[in-house]
Amino acid sequence: MAEKTGIGTNIVCQIGLVVKDIEKSKKAYADVFGLPEPDVMETNPETGKPVYRGERTWAKAKLAFFDMGQVQIELIEPVGEPSTWKEALDAQGEGFHHIAFMVKGTDDVVAYLEGKGGTLVQQGHYTGGMYSYVDMPSLHLVLELLENFNE
Amino acid sequence: MAEKTGIGTNIVCQIGLVVKDIEKSKKAYADVFGLPEPDVMETNPETGKPVYRGERTWAKAKLAFFDMGQVQIELIEPVGEPSTWKEALDAQGEGFHHIAFMVKGTDDVVAYLEGKGGTLVQQGHYTGGMYSYVDMPSLHLVLELLENFNE
């Protein structure tokens, strides 16, 4: 077991990728892994109130999820800008974007990661919870913190 | 449950990253997640007989592993070249390299993935098993297939 640090967990729950065409990519994943094709959902910037690098944004994303054991693969097609998703797609092309962890007390976890050199890149809400993307240069990764409020 | 396709699994078991300085990176991972610092091991090209893009290579890698639940994070520092690790580090810098799956019957799985547009990039052995990296453009990922012979 891990010692509890400020992140409170070491269980990776999601691997996120940015893609240009979510319909095409989800068909490829379903085909290669023999999984049902998930529905595509779209984030709602009215209710989600995303903030990107300190500024309110109306960017959206189309999302599709595949269960791959403990880990979920999330496909993300950016819609509009600015967002961490569009930024990553423009900078690196299609592919890996983040790994995610379920946390409690988002503000404290973000502060802990900022103390380790992290930068809060984007934050917003979804139904029942909130997400925060923290760029961690020392880990060579963006971490997504997911917090569900009713669990 | 997933329908069995030619890959035979949809359970992600590893997330691999390439790094420039494995000692520095493993300290950062141990620190952020509160995990013990793992020993660093080095691949052995004499016994591992790695083949990179169809040619025998004597490139090596330093490796360190962290258990993050079902998923292991593997840090990879390329030593020498050519290898998929050095190629990725040169092309994209430090960060994400692959996700891995445990398979049975590597040759059949590689052939299946080649039939889905994949390219076998590198293959080699480790004590008790073998690994194969298959670039899958339709998934925007490199998949690593791990096969342990005595399980």
Side-chain angles (χ1 to χ4, degrees):
Chain A
M1 283 297 289
E3 173 198 338
K4 289 292 178 211
T5 66
I7 191 167
T9 179
N10 67 325
I11 307 298
V12 179
C13 67
Q14 190 184 77
I15 300 168
L17 294 90
V18 288
V19 301
K20 288 181 184 169
D21 180 341
I22 200 163
E23 293 294 336
K24 189 173 163 189
S25 290
K26 78 168 184 163
K27 278 187 205 311
Y29 272 83
D31 179 49
V32 168
F33 292 105
L35 294 169
E37 260 189 62
D39 290 336
V40 172
M41 53 164 289
E42 194 167 89
T43 64
N44 183 339
E46 296 297 326
T47 55
K49 299 181 173 56
V51 172
Y52 170 72
R53 299 195 182 278
E55 302 278 348
R56 182 76 162 85
T57 178
W58 274 261
K60 298 189 285 187
K62 294 180 181 176
L63 308 176
F65 298 91
F66 291 90
D67 286 330
M68 313 286 277
Q70 164 196 300
V71 171
Q72 197 177 48
I73 286 191
E74 177 184 31
L75 303 180
I76 305 165
E77 180 190 322
V79 178
E81 57 188 309
S83 70
T84 180
W85 312 305
K86 183 66 163 60
E87 176 188 84
L89 189 60
D90 288 349
Q92 308 146 29
E94 295 180 279
F96 180 78
H97 178 262
H98 69 265
I99 62 174
F101 296 87
M102 298 299 306
V103 305
K104 287 289 172 196
T106 289
D107 288 352
D108 289 345
V109 180
V110 170
Y112 168 77
L113 293 174
E114 286 175 336
K116 302 290 184 186
T119 300
L120 178 62
V121 176
Q122 185 172 319
Q123 200 167 45
H125 288 74
Y126 52 85
T127 305
M130 69 183 291
Y131 69 85
S132 309
Y133 290 104
V134 181
D135 184 24
M136 292 294 293
S138 69
L139 305 183
H140 317 297
L141 283 179
V142 171
L143 305 187
E144 184 181 24
L145 311 176
L146 297 167
E147 180 167 9
N148 290 338
F149 298 136
N150 296 326
E151 284 182 2
Chain B
M1 285 296 289
E3 173 197 339
K4 289 290 179 212
T5 66
I7 191 167
T9 180
N10 66 324
I11 308 298
V12 179
C13 66
Q14 189 184 78
I15 300 169
L17 292 90
V18 290
V19 300
K20 288 181 183 169
D21 181 340
I22 200 163
E23 294 294 334
K24 188 174 164 188
S25 289
K26 78 168 184 163
K27 278 187 206 310
Y29 272 84
D31 178 49
V32 168
F33 292 105
L35 294 169
E37 260 190 61
D39 290 336
V40 172
M41 54 164 288
E42 193 166 273
T43 64
N44 182 339
E46 295 298 325
T47 55
K49 299 181 173 58
V51 173
Y52 170 72
R53 298 195 181 279
E55 303 279 347
R56 182 77 162 83
T57 178
W58 275 261
K60 298 189 286 188
K62 294 180 182 176
L63 309 176
F65 299 91
F66 291 90
D67 286 329
M68 313 287 276
Q70 162 197 300
V71 171
Q72 198 177 47
I73 286 191
E74 178 185 29
L75 302 180
I76 306 166
E77 179 189 323
V79 178
E81 57 188 307
S83 70
T84 178
W85 311 305
K86 184 66 163 60
E87 177 188 83
L89 188 60
D90 289 349
Q92 308 145 30
E94 296 179 278
F96 180 79
H97 178 261
H98 70 264
I99 61 173
F101 297 85
M102 298 299 307
V103 305
K104 286 288 171 195
T106 290
D107 289 352
D108 288 345
V109 179
V110 170
Y112 168 76
L113 292 175
E114 287 174 336
K116 301 290 183 185
T119 299
L120 178 63
V121 176
Q122 186 172 319
Q123 200 167 46
H125 288 74
Y126 53 84
T127 305
M130 70 182 291
Y131 69 84
S132 309
Y133 290 104
V134 181
D135 184 25
M136 293 294 294
S138 68
L139 305 183
H140 317 296
L141 283 179
V142 171
L143 305 187
E144 185 181 23
L145 312 175
L146 296 167
E147 179 166 11
N148 291 338
F149 298 136
N150 295 326
E151 285 180 2

CSV table of all heavy atoms in Angstrom, one decimal, chain A residues 55-105:
chain,number,residue,atom,x,y,z
A,55,GLU,N,-9.1,31.4,-17.4
A,55,GLU,CA,-10.2,32.2,-18.1
A,55,GLU,C,-11.4,31.2,-18.4
A,55,GLU,O,-11.2,30.1,-18.9
A,55,GLU,CB,-9.7,32.7,-19.4
A,55,GLU,CG,-8.5,33.7,-19.3
A,55,GLU,CD,-8.9,35.1,-18.9
A,55,GLU,OE1,-10.1,35.4,-18.9
A,55,GLU,OE2,-8.0,35.9,-18.6
A,56,ARG,N,-12.6,31.7,-18.2
A,56,ARG,CA,-13.8,31.0,-18.6
A,56,ARG,C,-13.7,30.7,-20.0
A,56,ARG,O,-13.4,31.6,-20.8
A,56,ARG,CB,-15.0,31.8,-18.2
A,56,ARG,CG,-16.3,31.2,-18.5
A,56,ARG,CD,-16.7,30.2,-17.5
A,56,ARG,NE,-18.2,30.0,-17.5
A,56,ARG,CZ,-18.7,29.1,-18.4
A,56,ARG,NH1,-18.0,28.4,-19.2
A,56,ARG,NH2,-20.0,29.0,-18.4
A,57,THR,N,-14.0,29.4,-20.4
A,57,THR,CA,-14.1,29.1,-21.8
A,57,THR,C,-15.4,28.4,-22.2
A,57,THR,O,-16.1,27.8,-21.3
A,57,THR,CB,-12.9,28.1,-22.2
A,57,THR,OG1,-13.0,27.8,-23.6
A,57,THR,CG2,-12.9,26.8,-21.4
A,58,TRP,N,-15.8,28.5,-23.5
A,58,TRP,CA,-17.0,27.9,-23.9
A,58,TRP,C,-16.7,26.7,-24.9
A,58,TRP,O,-17.5,26.2,-25.6
A,58,TRP,CB,-18.0,28.9,-24.6
A,58,TRP,CG,-18.8,29.6,-23.5
A,58,TRP,CD1,-20.1,29.2,-23.2
A,58,TRP,CD2,-18.4,30.6,-22.6
A,58,TRP,NE1,-20.5,30.0,-22.2
A,58,TRP,CE2,-19.5,30.9,-21.8
A,58,TRP,CE3,-17.3,31.3,-22.4
A,58,TRP,CZ2,-19.5,31.8,-20.8
A,58,TRP,CZ3,-17.2,32.3,-21.4
A,58,TRP,CH2,-18.3,32.5,-20.6
A,59,ALA,N,-15.4,26.3,-24.8
A,59,ALA,CA,-15.0,25.1,-25.6
A,59,ALA,C,-15.7,23.9,-25.0
A,59,ALA,O,-16.1,23.8,-23.9
A,59,ALA,CB,-13.5,24.9,-25.5
A,60,LYS,N,-15.9,22.9,-25.9
A,60,LYS,CA,-16.6,21.7,-25.5
A,60,LYS,C,-15.7,20.5,-26.0
A,60,LYS,O,-14.7,20.7,-26.6
A,60,LYS,CB,-18.0,21.5,-26.2
A,60,LYS,CG,-18.9,22.6,-25.8
A,60,LYS,CD,-20.3,22.4,-26.4
A,60,LYS,CE,-20.4,22.6,-27.9
A,60,LYS,NZ,-21.8,22.5,-28.4
A,61,ALA,N,-16.2,19.3,-25.6
A,61,ALA,CA,-15.6,18.1,-26.1
A,61,ALA,C,-16.6,17.0,-26.3
A,61,ALA,O,-17.6,16.9,-25.5
A,61,ALA,CB,-14.5,17.6,-25.2
A,62,LYS,N,-16.4,16.2,-27.3
A,62,LYS,CA,-17.2,15.0,-27.5
A,62,LYS,C,-16.4,13.8,-26.8
A,62,LYS,O,-15.2,13.7,-27.0
A,62,LYS,CB,-17.4,14.6,-28.9
A,62,LYS,CG,-18.3,15.6,-29.7
A,62,LYS,CD,-18.5,15.2,-31.1
A,62,LYS,CE,-19.4,16.3,-31.8
A,62,LYS,NZ,-19.5,16.0,-33.3
A,63,LEU,N,-17.1,13.0,-26.0
A,63,LEU,CA,-16.4,12.0,-25.2
A,63,LEU,C,-17.0,10.6,-25.5
A,63,LEU,O,-18.2,10.5,-25.7
A,63,LEU,CB,-16.6,12.3,-23.7
A,63,LEU,CG,-16.2,13.7,-23.2
A,63,LEU,CD1,-16.6,13.8,-21.7
A,63,LEU,CD2,-14.8,14.0,-23.5
A,64,ALA,N,-16.1,9.6,-25.5
A,64,ALA,CA,-16.6,8.2,-25.5
A,64,ALA,C,-15.7,7.4,-24.6
A,64,ALA,O,-14.5,7.6,-24.6
A,64,ALA,CB,-16.5,7.7,-26.9
A,65,PHE,N,-16.3,6.4,-23.9
A,65,PHE,CA,-15.5,5.7,-22.9
A,65,PHE,C,-15.6,4.2,-23.1
A,65,PHE,O,-16.6,3.6,-23.5
A,65,PHE,CB,-16.2,5.9,-21.5
A,65,PHE,CG,-16.1,7.4,-21.1
A,65,PHE,CD1,-17.2,8.2,-21.4
A,65,PHE,CD2,-15.0,7.9,-20.4
A,65,PHE,CE1,-17.1,9.6,-21.0
A,65,PHE,CE2,-15.0,9.2,-20.0
A,65,PHE,CZ,-16.0,10.1,-20.3
A,66,PHE,N,-14.4,3.5,-22.9
A,66,PHE,CA,-14.3,2.1,-23.0
A,66,PHE,C,-13.8,1.5,-21.7
A,66,PHE,O,-12.8,2.0,-21.2
A,66,PHE,CB,-13.3,1.7,-24.1
A,66,PHE,CG,-13.8,2.0,-25.5
A,66,PHE,CD1,-13.6,3.2,-26.1
A,66,PHE,CD2,-14.6,1.0,-26.2
A,66,PHE,CE1,-14.0,3.5,-27.4
A,66,PHE,CE2,-15.0,1.3,-27.5
A,66,PHE,CZ,-14.8,2.5,-28.1
A,67,ASP,N,-14.4,0.5,-21.2
A,67,ASP,CA,-13.9,-0.2,-20.0
A,67,ASP,C,-12.8,-1.2,-20.4
A,67,ASP,O,-13.1,-2.1,-21.1
A,67,ASP,CB,-15.0,-0.9,-19.2
A,67,ASP,CG,-15.9,0.1,-18.5
A,67,ASP,OD1,-15.4,1.2,-18.1
A,67,ASP,OD2,-17.1,-0.1,-18.4
A,68,MET,N,-11.6,-1.0,-19.8
A,68,MET,CA,-10.5,-1.8,-20.1
A,68,MET,C,-9.9,-2.4,-18.8
A,68,MET,O,-8.8,-2.2,-18.4
A,68,MET,CB,-9.4,-1.0,-20.8
A,68,MET,CG,-9.9,-0.2,-22.0
A,68,MET,SD,-10.3,-1.1,-23.4
A,68,MET,CE,-8.7,-1.3,-24.2
A,69,GLY,N,-10.8,-3.0,-18.0
A,69,GLY,CA,-10.4,-3.5,-16.7
A,69,GLY,C,-10.6,-2.3,-15.7
A,69,GLY,O,-11.6,-1.5,-15.8
A,70,GLN,N,-9.7,-2.2,-14.8
A,70,GLN,CA,-9.7,-1.1,-13.8
A,70,GLN,C,-9.7,0.3,-14.5
A,70,GLN,O,-10.2,1.3,-14.0
A,70,GLN,CB,-8.5,-1.2,-12.9
A,70,GLN,CG,-8.2,0.0,-12.1
A,70,GLN,CD,-6.8,0.0,-11.5
A,70,GLN,OE1,-6.4,-0.9,-10.8
A,70,GLN,NE2,-5.9,0.9,-11.9
A,71,VAL,N,-9.1,0.3,-15.7
A,71,VAL,CA,-8.9,1.5,-16.4
A,71,VAL,C,-9.9,1.7,-17.5
A,71,VAL,O,-10.2,0.8,-18.2
A,71,VAL,CB,-7.4,1.5,-17.0
A,71,VAL,CG1,-7.2,2.6,-17.9
A,71,VAL,CG2,-6.4,1.5,-15.9
A,72,GLN,N,-10.3,2.9,-17.6
A,72,GLN,CA,-11.2,3.3,-18.7
A,72,GLN,C,-10.4,4.1,-19.7
A,72,GLN,O,-9.5,4.8,-19.4
A,72,GLN,CB,-12.2,4.3,-18.0
A,72,GLN,CG,-13.5,4.6,-18.7
A,72,GLN,CD,-14.3,5.6,-17.8
A,72,GLN,OE1,-13.7,6.6,-17.3
A,72,GLN,NE2,-15.5,5.3,-17.6
A,73,ILE,N,-10.6,3.7,-21.0
A,73,ILE,CA,-10.0,4.6,-22.0
A,73,ILE,C,-11.1,5.6,-22.5
A,73,ILE,O,-12.2,5.3,-22.8
A,73,ILE,CB,-9.5,3.8,-23.2
A,73,ILE,CG1,-8.2,3.0,-22.8
A,73,ILE,CG2,-9.3,4.7,-24.4
A,73,ILE,CD1,-7.4,2.4,-23.9
A,74,GLU,N,-10.7,6.9,-22.4
A,74,GLU,CA,-11.6,8.0,-22.8
A,74,GLU,C,-11.1,8.6,-24.1
A,74,GLU,O,-9.9,9.0,-24.1
A,74,GLU,CB,-11.6,9.1,-21.7
A,74,GLU,CG,-12.4,10.3,-22.0
A,74,GLU,CD,-12.3,11.4,-21.0
A,74,GLU,OE1,-11.2,11.5,-20.3
A,74,GLU,OE2,-13.3,12.2,-20.8
A,75,LEU,N,-11.9,8.6,-25.1
A,75,LEU,CA,-11.6,9.3,-26.3
A,75,LEU,C,-12.2,10.7,-26.2
A,75,LEU,O,-13.4,10.9,-25.8
A,75,LEU,CB,-12.1,8.6,-27.5
A,75,LEU,CG,-11.6,7.1,-27.7
A,75,LEU,CD1,-12.3,6.5,-28.9
A,75,LEU,CD2,-10.1,7.0,-27.7
A,76,ILE,N,-11.5,11.7,-26.6
A,76,ILE,CA,-11.9,13.1,-26.5
A,76,ILE,C,-11.7,13.8,-27.8
A,76,ILE,O,-10.6,13.9,-28.3
A,76,ILE,CB,-11.1,13.8,-25.4
A,76,ILE,CG1,-11.1,13.1,-24.1
A,76,ILE,CG2,-11.5,15.3,-25.3
A,76,ILE,CD1,-10.0,13.6,-23.1
A,77,GLU,N,-12.8,14.3,-28.4
A,77,GLU,CA,-12.7,15.1,-29.6
A,77,GLU,C,-13.0,16.6,-29.2
A,77,GLU,O,-14.1,16.9,-28.9
A,77,GLU,CB,-13.7,14.7,-30.7
A,77,GLU,CG,-13.6,15.5,-32.0
A,77,GLU,CD,-14.7,15.2,-33.0
A,77,GLU,OE1,-15.1,14.0,-33.1
A,77,GLU,OE2,-15.2,16.2,-33.6
A,78,PRO,N,-12.0,17.4,-29.3
A,78,PRO,CA,-12.3,18.9,-28.9
A,78,PRO,C,-13.2,19.5,-29.9
A,78,PRO,O,-13.2,19.2,-31.1
A,78,PRO,CB,-10.9,19.5,-29.1
A,78,PRO,CG,-9.9,18.4,-29.1
A,78,PRO,CD,-10.6,17.2,-29.7
A,79,VAL,N,-14.1,20.3,-29.3
A,79,VAL,CA,-15.1,21.1,-30.1
A,79,VAL,C,-14.9,22.6,-29.7
A,79,VAL,O,-15.1,22.9,-28.5
A,79,VAL,CB,-16.5,20.7,-29.9
A,79,VAL,CG1,-17.5,21.5,-30.7
A,79,VAL,CG2,-16.7,19.2,-30.2
A,80,GLY,N,-14.5,23.4,-30.6
A,80,GLY,CA,-14.2,24.8,-30.2
A,80,GLY,C,-12.9,24.9,-29.4
A,80,GLY,O,-12.2,24.0,-29.3
A,81,GLU,N,-12.7,26.1,-29.0
A,81,GLU,CA,-11.4,26.4,-28.2
A,81,GLU,C,-11.6,27.6,-27.4
A,81,GLU,O,-12.6,28.4,-27.6
A,81,GLU,CB,-10.2,26.5,-29.1
A,81,GLU,CG,-10.3,27.6,-30.2
A,81,GLU,CD,-9.1,27.5,-31.1
A,81,GLU,OE1,-8.0,27.4,-30.7
A,81,GLU,OE2,-9.4,27.4,-32.4
A,82,PRO,N,-10.7,27.9,-26.4
A,82,PRO,CA,-9.5,27.1,-26.1
A,82,PRO,C,-9.9,26.1,-25.0
A,82,PRO,O,-10.8,26.2,-24.2
A,82,PRO,CB,-8.6,28.2,-25.5
A,82,PRO,CG,-9.5,29.1,-24.8
A,82,PRO,CD,-10.8,29.1,-25.6
A,83,SER,N,-9.1,25.0,-25.0
A,83,SER,CA,-9.2,24.0,-24.0
A,83,SER,C,-7.9,23.2,-24.0
A,83,SER,O,-7.1,23.3,-24.9
A,83,SER,CB,-10.4,23.0,-24.3
A,83,SER,OG,-10.0,22.2,-25.5
A,84,THR,N,-7.7,22.4,-22.9
A,84,THR,CA,-6.5,21.6,-22.8
A,84,THR,C,-6.5,20.5,-23.9
A,84,THR,O,-5.5,20.1,-24.4
A,84,THR,CB,-6.4,20.9,-21.4
A,84,THR,OG1,-5.3,20.1,-21.4
A,84,THR,CG2,-7.6,20.1,-21.1
A,85,TRP,N,-7.7,20.1,-24.3
A,85,TRP,CA,-7.9,19.1,-25.3
A,85,TRP,C,-7.4,19.6,-26.7
A,85,TRP,O,-6.7,19.0,-27.4
A,85,TRP,CB,-9.3,18.6,-25.4
A,85,TRP,CG,-9.9,18.3,-24.1
A,85,TRP,CD1,-9.4,17.4,-23.2
A,85,TRP,CD2,-11.1,18.8,-23.5
A,85,TRP,NE1,-10.2,17.4,-22.0
A,85,TRP,CE2,-11.2,18.3,-22.2
A,85,TRP,CE3,-12.1,19.8,-23.9
A,85,TRP,CZ2,-12.3,18.6,-21.3
A,85,TRP,CZ3,-13.1,20.1,-23.1
A,85,TRP,CH2,-13.2,19.5,-21.8
A,86,LYS,N,-7.9,20.8,-27.0
A,86,LYS,CA,-7.6,21.4,-28.3
A,86,LYS,C,-6.1,21.8,-28.4
A,86,LYS,O,-5.4,21.5,-29.4
A,86,LYS,CB,-8.4,22.7,-28.6
A,86,LYS,CG,-8.2,23.4,-29.9
A,86,LYS,CD,-8.7,22.5,-31.0
A,86,LYS,CE,-8.9,23.3,-32.3
A,86,LYS,NZ,-7.7,24.0,-32.8
A,87,GLU,N,-5.6,22.3,-27.2
A,87,GLU,CA,-4.1,22.6,-27.1
A,87,GLU,C,-3.3,21.4,-27.4
A,87,GLU,O,-2.3,21.4,-28.1
A,87,GLU,CB,-3.9,23.1,-25.7
A,87,GLU,CG,-2.4,23.4,-25.4
A,87,GLU,CD,-2.3,23.8,-23.9
A,87,GLU,OE1,-2.1,22.9,-23.1
A,87,GLU,OE2,-2.3,25.0,-23.5
A,88,ALA,N,-3.6,20.2,-26.8
A,88,ALA,CA,-2.9,19.0,-27.0
A,88,ALA,C,-3.0,18.5,-28.4
A,88,ALA,O,-2.0,18.0,-29.0
A,88,ALA,CB,-3.4,17.9,-26.0
A,89,LEU,N,-4.2,18.5,-29.0
A,89,LEU,CA,-4.3,18.1,-30.3
A,89,LEU,C,-3.5,18.9,-31.3
A,89,LEU,O,-2.8,18.4,-32.2
A,89,LEU,CB,-5.8,18.1,-30.7
A,89,LEU,CG,-6.2,17.5,-32.0
A,89,LEU,CD1,-5.9,16.0,-32.1
A,89,LEU,CD2,-7.7,17.7,-32.3
A,90,ASP,N,-3.5,20.2,-31.1
A,90,ASP,CA,-2.7,21.1,-32.0
A,90,ASP,C,-1.2,20.9,-31.8
A,90,ASP,O,-0.5,20.9,-32.8
A,90,ASP,CB,-3.1,22.6,-31.7
A,90,ASP,CG,-4.5,22.9,-32.2
A,90,ASP,OD1,-5.1,22.1,-32.9
A,90,ASP,OD2,-4.9,24.0,-31.8
A,91,ALA,N,-0.8,20.7,-30.5
A,91,ALA,CA,0.6,20.6,-30.3
A,91,ALA,C,1.2,19.2,-30.6
A,91,ALA,O,2.3,19.2,-31.1
A,91,ALA,CB,0.9,20.9,-28.8
A,92,GLN,N,0.5,18.1,-30.4
A,92,GLN,CA,1.1,16.8,-30.5
A,92,GLN,C,0.3,15.9,-31.5
A,92,GLN,O,0.8,14.8,-31.7
A,92,GLN,CB,1.1,16.1,-29.2
A,92,GLN,CG,1.7,16.9,-28.1
A,92,GLN,CD,1.0,16.6,-26.7
A,92,GLN,OE1,0.5,15.5,-26.5
A,92,GLN,NE2,1.0,17.5,-25.8
A,93,GLY,N,-0.8,16.3,-32.0
A,93,GLY,CA,-1.6,15.5,-32.8
A,93,GLY,C,-2.4,14.5,-32.0
A,93,GLY,O,-2.5,14.6,-30.7
A,94,GLU,N,-3.1,13.6,-32.6
A,94,GLU,CA,-3.9,12.6,-32.0
A,94,GLU,C,-3.1,11.7,-31.1
A,94,GLU,O,-2.0,11.3,-31.4
A,94,GLU,CB,-4.7,11.8,-33.0
A,94,GLU,CG,-5.7,12.7,-33.8
A,94,GLU,CD,-6.4,11.9,-34.8
A,94,GLU,OE1,-5.9,11.6,-35.9
A,94,GLU,OE2,-7.6,11.5,-34.5
A,95,GLY,N,-3.7,11.3,-29.9
A,95,GLY,CA,-3.0,10.4,-29.0
A,95,GLY,C,-3.2,10.7,-27.6
A,95,GLY,O,-4.1,11.5,-27.2
A,96,PHE,N,-2.3,10.2,-26.8
A,96,PHE,CA,-2.4,10.3,-25.4
A,96,PHE,C,-2.5,11.7,-24.8
A,96,PHE,O,-1.8,12.6,-25.3
A,96,PHE,CB,-1.1,9.7,-24.8
A,96,PHE,CG,-1.0,9.7,-23.3
A,96,PHE,CD1,-1.8,8.8,-22.5
A,96,PHE,CD2,-0.3,10.7,-22.6
A,96,PHE,CE1,-1.7,8.8,-21.1
A,96,PHE,CE2,-0.3,10.7,-21.2
A,96,PHE,CZ,-1.0,9.8,-20.5
A,97,HIS,N,-3.4,11.9,-23.9
A,97,HIS,CA,-3.5,13.2,-23.2
A,97,HIS,C,-3.3,13.2,-21.7
A,97,HIS,O,-2.6,14.0,-21.2
A,97,HIS,CB,-4.9,13.8,-23.5
A,97,HIS,CG,-5.2,15.1,-22.9
A,97,HIS,ND1,-5.9,15.2,-21.7
A,97,HIS,CD2,-4.8,16.3,-23.2
A,97,HIS,CE1,-5.9,16.5,-21.4
A,97,HIS,NE2,-5.3,17.2,-22.3
A,98,HIS,N,-3.9,12.2,-21.0
A,98,HIS,CA,-3.8,12.3,-19.5
A,98,HIS,C,-4.0,10.9,-18.9
A,98,HIS,O,-4.5,10.0,-19.6
A,98,HIS,CB,-4.8,13.3,-18.9
A,98,HIS,CG,-6.2,12.8,-19.1
A,98,HIS,ND1,-7.0,13.2,-20.1
A,98,HIS,CD2,-7.0,11.9,-18.3
A,98,HIS,CE1,-8.2,12.6,-20.0
A,98,HIS,NE2,-8.2,11.9,-18.9
A,99,ILE,N,-3.6,10.8,-17.6
A,99,ILE,CA,-4.1,9.7,-16.8
A,99,ILE,C,-4.9,10.3,-15.7
A,99,ILE,O,-4.6,11.4,-15.2
A,99,ILE,CB,-3.0,8.7,-16.3
A,99,ILE,CG1,-2.0,9.4,-15.4
A,99,ILE,CG2,-2.4,8.0,-17.4
A,99,ILE,CD1,-1.0,8.4,-14.7
A,100,ALA,N,-5.9,9.6,-15.2
A,100,ALA,CA,-6.8,10.2,-14.2
A,100,ALA,C,-6.9,9.4,-12.9
A,100,ALA,O,-6.6,8.2,-12.9
A,100,ALA,CB,-8.3,10.3,-14.7
A,101,PHE,N,-7.2,10.1,-11.8
A,101,PHE,CA,-7.3,9.5,-10.5
A,101,PHE,C,-8.6,10.0,-9.8
A,101,PHE,O,-8.9,11.2,-10.0
A,101,PHE,CB,-6.1,9.9,-9.6
A,101,PHE,CG,-4.8,9.4,-10.1
A,101,PHE,CD1,-4.1,10.1,-11.1
A,101,PHE,CD2,-4.3,8.2,-9.7
A,101,PHE,CE1,-2.9,9.6,-11.6
A,101,PHE,CE2,-3.1,7.7,-10.1
A,101,PHE,CZ,-2.4,8.4,-11.1
A,102,MET,N,-9.3,9.2,-9.0
A,102,MET,CA,-10.4,9.7,-8.3
A,102,MET,C,-9.9,10.3,-7.0
A,102,MET,O,-9.1,9.6,-6.3
A,102,MET,CB,-11.4,8.5,-7.9
A,102,MET,CG,-12.0,7.8,-9.1
A,102,MET,SD,-13.1,8.8,-10.1
A,102,MET,CE,-14.2,9.5,-8.9
A,103,VAL,N,-10.3,11.5,-6.6
A,103,VAL,CA,-9.8,12.1,-5.4
A,103,VAL,C,-10.9,12.6,-4.6
A,103,VAL,O,-12.1,12.7,-5.0
A,103,VAL,CB,-8.8,13.3,-5.8
A,103,VAL,CG1,-7.7,12.9,-6.7
A,103,VAL,CG2,-9.6,14.5,-6.4
A,104,LYS,N,-10.6,13.0,-3.4
A,104,LYS,CA,-11.5,13.8,-2.5
A,104,LYS,C,-10.8,15.1,-2.1
A,104,LYS,O,-9.6,15.1,-1.8
A,104,LYS,CB,-11.8,12.9,-1.2
A,104,LYS,CG,-12.7,11.7,-1.4
A,104,LYS,CD,-14.1,12.2,-1.7
A,104,LYS,CE,-15.0,11.1,-2.1
A,104,LYS,NZ,-16.3,11.6,-2.7
A,105,GLY,N,-11.6,16.1,-2.1
A,105,GLY,CA,-11.0,17.4,-1.7
A,105,GLY,C,-10.1,18.0,-2.8
A,105,GLY,O,-8.9,18.2,-2.6
